[in-house]
């Protein structure tokens, strides 16, 4: 028996979510008194995993994995789960993690819960706490099958170091040929994505036009933040759909979310509740967003944001 | 081409979220149920295939009689017929198994489901369904074109998008972006009248077991009041020294 973690790598490196799932897997293995096995592919340096408790790492390198067919990736993880007789498989909630996890669950005939935010509340019965109703509530959900798949919500569990010497084994199960081909990809490589961001700067309809986004860009740049927006802003074409946060858009689970000229409609808040600290800048002191925020400034974004950028530059120069 | 659009009936996005029976059940009192937004986008895209490429369009939902209102709305928007699987949608795996039976029965070429439902947010039905059917699968779809049995699908990825090519039969998990906002249709009087005459078939569920069970719910702790700040210096100081996020 074991706990299996899928640690996704991107261009050979591990993102924070990979270390979150590894940390979670390590703690769960302790809770269940069993071993942690991590499965991954194409990663060169596995030290970050070792630092978070990955004693055994199964590393895939085969050409079969150079596919855009998610079903092949699911087979890869399932092969690892079967080889290791995994009781629980843990997968992150990045766009790839959320893509592959349900397939893994169906193939293993395992119960699956996504958006899990904590270690199991009990292991017999196996009950986990997850976000539901677009983060407006938590649900305590029992997984009733003998095999289980957990989708871990981003930035909810935290990172825990427990350094070990890790053993990396080549893992090349037989995999079929993918039936989905990628013909093009369009990805902003020089920008932080909402999924990876520690800080997000978001603009709303209060900014009046897409032409006014320069100051949002400046603020995002000095903070090393990702840019986001409210739904009407993307509907109006001021900003791309990929930046839309909320119930029908992306989930922003960051440490800091700065909302500028966003009223804080319930559908928008549904996408930001998981962020730890929210700052609101709005001319209307009655804007509902203030009720959901930690810090607020009532005032005109066109005055406040440029000042904030300037002062943050000074702050960064002093504090490195 | 035969298209099946999977529809989940969810609380309207402005609903107050409350629970009853010792926090074990969602309180539907005063809540209006609507087509899950991602499913509405899916249905709108499917209408394009119906009108421009002569596809047939069936909608399906797993649920008790109350979901029929939502299915009628889908018929009023333009679906040809509707199927209701007469069972409580207890978990994603259960729902996927029910839907798989419908797809096998009806031999659908393209199945469009929403990326996730906005109530339980499981995000698992499309992927599980594709796996149970052994159909090709693409999730987080923001664009789809079909020529004969070839599909060109745009998918959102972290920080951008990719374009994929695959073949029918296919299951896609679709989301906002698959149609433009202004393409969404509000059913008109004629649509509503016609919907009354369209077939809404009720089928009994196949025998299947739920793999998970929501035991109870809890609302997040009430948060403390927002700290109002007068100027940006003070804000930077608080973010650095108090919140420790910069
Ligand atoms: C089914 C459905 C799903 C939805 N999903 C989402 C979703 O996922 N995400 C989402 O964001 N919305 C969603 N919405 C829309 C949502 O209801 C709101 O309409 C939207 O969030 C409002 O966007 P906003 O705050 O940018 O604009 P507004 O509500 O117009 O607010 C603009 C704000 O800017 C302030 N302002 C104006 N001028 C200035 C200035 N100079 N400086 C500072 N502040 C200023 C105003 O006081 C106001 O509070 C959804 C709606 C529906 C019906």
């Amino acid at each position: 028996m074991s706990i299996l973690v899928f640690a996704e790598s991107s261009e050979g490196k591990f993102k924070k979510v990979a270390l979150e799932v590894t940390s979670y897997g390590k703690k769960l293995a302790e809770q269940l008194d069993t071993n942690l096995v991590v499965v991954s592919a194409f990663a060169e340096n596995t030290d970050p995993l070792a630092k978070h408790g990955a004693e055994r790492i199964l590393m895939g390198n085969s050409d079969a994995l150079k596919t855009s067919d998610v079903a092949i990736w699911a087979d890869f993880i399932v092969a690892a789960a079967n080889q290791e007789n995994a009781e629980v498989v843990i997968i992150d909630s990045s766009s790839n993690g959320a893509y592959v996890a349900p397939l893994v669950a169906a193939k293993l005939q395992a119960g699956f819960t996504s958006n899990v935010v904590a270690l199991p509340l009990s292991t017999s019965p196996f009950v986990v706490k997850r976000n539901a109703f677009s983060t407006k509530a938590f649900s305590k959900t029992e997984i009733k099958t003998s095999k289980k798949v957990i989708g871990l919500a981003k930035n909810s569990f935290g990172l825990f170091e427990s350094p070990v010497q890790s053993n990396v084994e080549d893992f090349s199960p037989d995999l079929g040929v993918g039936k989905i081909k990628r013909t093009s990809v369009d990805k902003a490589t020089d920008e932080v994505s909402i999924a990876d961001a520690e800080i997000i700067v978001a603009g709303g309809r209060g900014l009046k036009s897409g032409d006014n986004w320069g100051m949002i860009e400046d603020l995002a740049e000095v903070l090393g933040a990702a840019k986001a927006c409210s739904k009407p802003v993307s509907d109006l074409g001021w900003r791309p759909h990929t930046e839309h946060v909320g119930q029908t858009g992306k989930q922003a689970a960051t440490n800091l979310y700065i909302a500028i000229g966003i009223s804080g409609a319930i559908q928008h808040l549904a996408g930001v509740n998981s962020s730890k600290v929210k700052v609101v800048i709005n001319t209307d002191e009655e804007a509902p967003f203030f009720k959901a925020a930690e810090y607020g400034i009532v005032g005109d974004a066109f005055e406040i944001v440029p000042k904030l950028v300037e002062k943050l530059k000074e702050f960064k120069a002093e504090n490195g | 081409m035969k298209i099946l659009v999977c529809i989940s009936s969810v609380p309207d996005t402005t609903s107050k979220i409350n629970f009853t029976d010792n926090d074990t059940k969602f309180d539907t009192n005063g809540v209006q149920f609507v087509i899950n937004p991602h499913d509405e986008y899916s249905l709108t895209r499917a209408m394009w295939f119906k009108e421009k490429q002569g596809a047939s369009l069936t909608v399906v939902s797993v649920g008790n009689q109350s979901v029929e209102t939502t299915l009628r709305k889908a018929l009023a928007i333009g679906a040809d017929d509707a199927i209701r699987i007469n069972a409580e949608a207890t978990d994603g795996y259960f729902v996927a198994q029910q839907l798989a039976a419908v797809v096998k029965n009806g031999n659908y070429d393209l199945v469009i489901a929403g990326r996730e439902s906005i109530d339980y947010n499981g995000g698992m039905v499309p992927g599980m369904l594709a796996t149970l059917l052994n159909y090709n699968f693409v999730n987080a779809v923001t664009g789809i074109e079909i020529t004969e049995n070839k599909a060109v699908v745009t998918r959102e990825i972290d920080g951008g998008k990719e374009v994929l090519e695959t073949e029918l039969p296919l299951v896609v998990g679709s989301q906002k972006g698959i149609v433009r906002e202004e393409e969404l249709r509000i059913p008109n009087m004629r649509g509503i009248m016609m919907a009354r005459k369209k077939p809404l078939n009720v089928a009994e569920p196949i025998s299947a077991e739920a793999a998970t069970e929501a035991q109870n719910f809890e609302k997040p702790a009430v948060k403390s009041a927002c700290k109002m700040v007068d100027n940006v210096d003070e804000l930077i100081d608080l973010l650095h020294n108090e919140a420790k996020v910069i």
Side-chain angles (χ1 to χ4, degrees), chain A residues 133 181 231 250 293 295, chain B residues 119 156 165 181 223 242:
Chain A
F133 294 95
K181 288 196 179 56
K231 180 168 179 284
K250 289 214 162 67
Y295 303 103
Chain B
D119 48 1
E156 193 165 290
E165 257 176 34
E181 208 65 20
K223 65 170 285 300
E242 188 177 85

Side-chain angles (χ1 to χ4, degrees), chain A residues 114 130 133-134 138 140 142 144 179 181-184 186 231 241 244 250 267 293-296, chain B residues 13 119-122 156 161-163 165-166 176 181 211 213 215-216 218 223 226-227 229 242:
Chain A
S114 53
R130 65 181 297 267
F133 294 95
S134 306
F138 296 108
K140 289 177 195 158
E142 180 185 349
K144 299 199 284 191
K179 288 183 278 184
K181 288 196 179 56
R182 182 154 91 180
T183 53
S184 71
D186 175 5
K231 180 168 179 284
H241 282 297
H244 155 206
K250 289 214 162 67
Q267 299 95 345
E294 276 66 30
Y295 303 103
Chain B
T13 54
D119 48 1
Y120 295 96
N121 312 110
E156 193 165 290
K161 59 185 179 181
E162 62 182 10
V163 180
E165 257 176 34
T166 187
K176 177 176 175 272
E181 208 65 20
E213 186 182 318
Q215 292 188 328
N216 56 45
E218 122 194 348
K223 65 170 285 300
C226 178
K227 209 175 246 186
V229 181
E242 188 177 85

